[in-house]
Amino acid sequence: MTQYPHNFNNNTQLLHWLFRTGKIDLNEGRLFEHKPIPLPPAMNWNRIEGMILGLAIGDALGNTTESLTPQRRQIQYGEIRDYLPNRYANYRPVGLPSDDTQLAIWTLEELNGNHGLNPDCLAQRFTQGRIFGIGSTMKGFLRHYKSGLPWFESGQKSAGNGALMRIAPIVIPHLRSQTKALWVDTALAAMLTHNDSASNAACLGFVAMLWQLFSRSTVPEANWWLETYIQFTQDLESDSSYRPRGGAFTEDRGYLWQFVERRVSQAYQQGLSVREACDRWYSGAYLLETIPSVLYILMRYGDNPEAAIVRAVNDTKDNDTIAAIVGAAVGALHGKDALPQRWQVGLLGRTAERDDGTLWRVLEIADQIWWHY
Ligand SMILES: [Mg+2]
């Protein structure tokens, strides 16, 4: 077991040590050199609420039919556009969380409580509650951490989407200060559970995109989504040995960003529907499936939050997580008011069995600490 060689004054020093000692699976790419772009003075908290609600709504719409193939799901449920009757809420058609929402809101709670990211506190928080639909990488992390390994040696080498799905709230403590520490905190929070080049880079790329979405007053062109993701991630990835686990492109080898660049632009040029494109590269929890699916949905439906989330829920396999990530992006771009009222009203705001309303309470505290202070 490795102990810290000294006490670090801040997370930036800590991350430098992790880079120097090779403990983080990531290149120190150009992103780390620049402060995030200044947010416009007119930027509204509504965008932050939209990001968090979009994440929770996407998860809730998807998690009742998670892991069905789109074909199977359609036969059983038709096109899903509303919450399904839920056995954990007396069969009412309301929105309940799975791991995506739980871990995201617990992260925000920790950021609020510690006045910023403390990775070890976040690791402890993740051990303190029943996680619904927990993934195998998260289980491995918890096993390692509970056995006494330090947090920075507990993360798994896994390119699953489990860090990406919970990363969005990391932007919130940085909205006012707008420093390079945003990238530092993102890298630390990402590696906590998934210490993997593709996952760490994807988390940084997605956070950088969310930040740009906050400052936009217009919907980006389709190509923006793909180009921006690649621009942010291509020098961050340190491992070129990824390969699809199924689908039409099993001969491909390389970096995640290369696969995304090649296959997403090809699908777009061919005018494939979301279903057709996602069937080709598969749309499960592996980042070579999740990232192309997310970007393709945003390229096709980034102008319409409802349509984007509906496509993610219906046309992908790991639909709760893909809809949660898509939901965070369209919420950050369009704001809370653009998310359908029926989805907002039906969301119970839970992060555990019986804590209705917690999501709004945590958001309200975040607003007071990080925005309207
Ligand atoms: Mg889930």
Side-chain angles (χ1 to χ4, degrees):
M1 187 198 301
T2 314
Q3 295 301 332
Y4 290 124
H6 23 251
N7 289 326
F8 298 105
N9 290 322
N10 54 50
N11 284 345
T12 301
Q13 289 182 6
L14 166 57
L15 182 64
H16 277 143
W17 178 72
L18 294 168
F19 273 128
R20 218 169 43 243
T21 53
K23 289 186 185 303
I24 183 166
D25 190 2
L26 182 71
N27 282 336
E28 196 170 359
R30 284 186 306 268
L31 187 64
F32 289 97
E33 294 168 14
H34 302 286
K35 288 203 277 188
I37 53 167
L39 295 175
M43 147 98 185
N44 195 303
W45 181 252
N46 195 288
R47 300 288 192 102
I48 305 301
E49 293 174 303
M51 175 184 78
I52 297 293
L53 284 172
L55 187 160
I57 287 169
D59 175 17
L61 284 165
N63 67 39
T64 40
T65 62
E66 186 187 354
S67 294
L68 291 179
T69 62
Q71 291 71 13
R72 187 77 239 153
R73 185 184 296 120
Q74 181 161 38
I75 292 165
Q76 254 175 282
Y77 298 93
E79 170 120 318
I80 298 171
R81 306 185 65 88
D82 290 291
Y83 302 124
L84 296 173
N86 199 302
R87 65 195 171 108
Y88 299 107
N90 298 317
Y91 293 92
R92 287 178 295 152
V94 289
L96 267 64
S98 74
D99 51 354
D100 315 68
T101 306
Q102 291 182 290
L103 298 174
I105 301 303
W106 295 349
T107 299
L108 184 53
E109 218 174 9
E110 278 302 309
L111 295 170
N112 290 345
N114 289 314
H115 216 82
L117 176 70
N118 179 322
D120 196 43
C121 291
L122 186 58
Q124 282 173 38
R125 180 64 182 90
F126 286 169
T127 66
Q128 286 164 5
R130 189 177 147 224
I131 298 169
F132 309 136
I134 188 170
S136 59
T137 302
M138 190 68 192
K139 278 186 192 159
F141 157 76
L142 290 174
R143 198 168 51 244
H144 278 172
Y145 185 68
K146 286 179 181 171
S147 78
L149 280 176
W151 70 268
F152 53 86
E153 289 178 359
S154 298
Q156 313 284 292
K157 168 82 181 157
S158 160
N161 59 20
L164 181 61
M165 72 187 189
R166 60 168 172 79
I167 203 70
I170 205 75
V171 298
I172 292 176
H174 299 276
L175 292 169
R176 294 290 188 194
S177 56
Q178 310 188 4
T179 69
K180 290 188 275 188
L182 169 62
W183 317 127
V184 171
D185 284 357
T186 304
L188 296 175
M191 73 171 279
L192 178 64
T193 56
H194 295 60
N195 193 3
D196 172 273
S197 154
S199 174
N200 288 329
C203 288
L204 282 157
F206 185 58
V207 162
M209 289 174 83
L210 287 171
W211 192 272
Q212 298 223 344
L213 292 173
F214 295 144
S215 60
R216 289 193 72 107
S217 56
T218 56
V219 176
E221 302 269 307
N223 275 334
W224 180 88
W225 299 96
L226 184 58
E227 285 165 10
T228 307
Y229 177 82
I230 290 163
Q231 172 211 319
F232 283 133
T233 59
Q234 61 185 351
D235 69 344
L236 292 170
E237 288 193 51
S238 61
D239 182 345
S240 61
S241 65
Y242 295 95
R243 45 189 284 198
R245 60 179 179 179
F249 310 118
T250 48
E251 302 301 307
D252 286 12
R253 296 282 180 282
Y255 293 103
L256 168 61
W257 72 264
Q258 290 175 318
F259 182 77
V260 169
E261 181 177 53
R262 186 178 317 130
R263 298 309 176 186
V264 175
S265 51
Q266 186 183 57
Y268 194 79
Q269 279 159 19
Q270 293 173 349
L272 300 186
S273 70
V274 171
R275 174 85 58 96
E276 289 165 336
C278 291
D279 281 353
R280 280 203 186 168
W281 51 62
Y282 282 11
S283 51
Y286 182 34
L287 287 172
L288 265 76
E289 301 163 10
T290 299
I291 292 282
S293 302
V294 166
L295 292 175
Y296 198 67
I297 291 166
L298 291 169
M299 288 172 79
R300 296 289 308 255
Y301 295 100
D303 62 335
N304 184 335
E306 180 173 1
I309 292 171
V310 166
R311 292 277 54 87
V313 167
N314 287 280
D315 293 345
T316 70
K317 191 155 184 287
D318 191 14
N319 64 340
D320 61 334
T321 295
I322 292 174
I325 299 166
V326 165
V330 291
L333 174 60
H334 296 270
K336 172 180 129 163
D337 300 338
L339 298 170
Q341 268 301 311
R342 68 183 195 281
W343 291 350
Q344 297 194 41
V345 171
L347 192 70
L348 295 189
R350 284 185 193 176
T351 73
E353 277 89 349
R354 271 184 289 277
D355 69 340
D356 292 17
T358 296
L359 181 145
W360 289 283
R361 281 195 293 277
V362 174
L363 250 181
E364 174 60 31
I365 294 167
D367 183 5
Q368 287 163 19
I369 296 177
W370 306 111
W371 192 249
H372 287 114
Y373 55 82

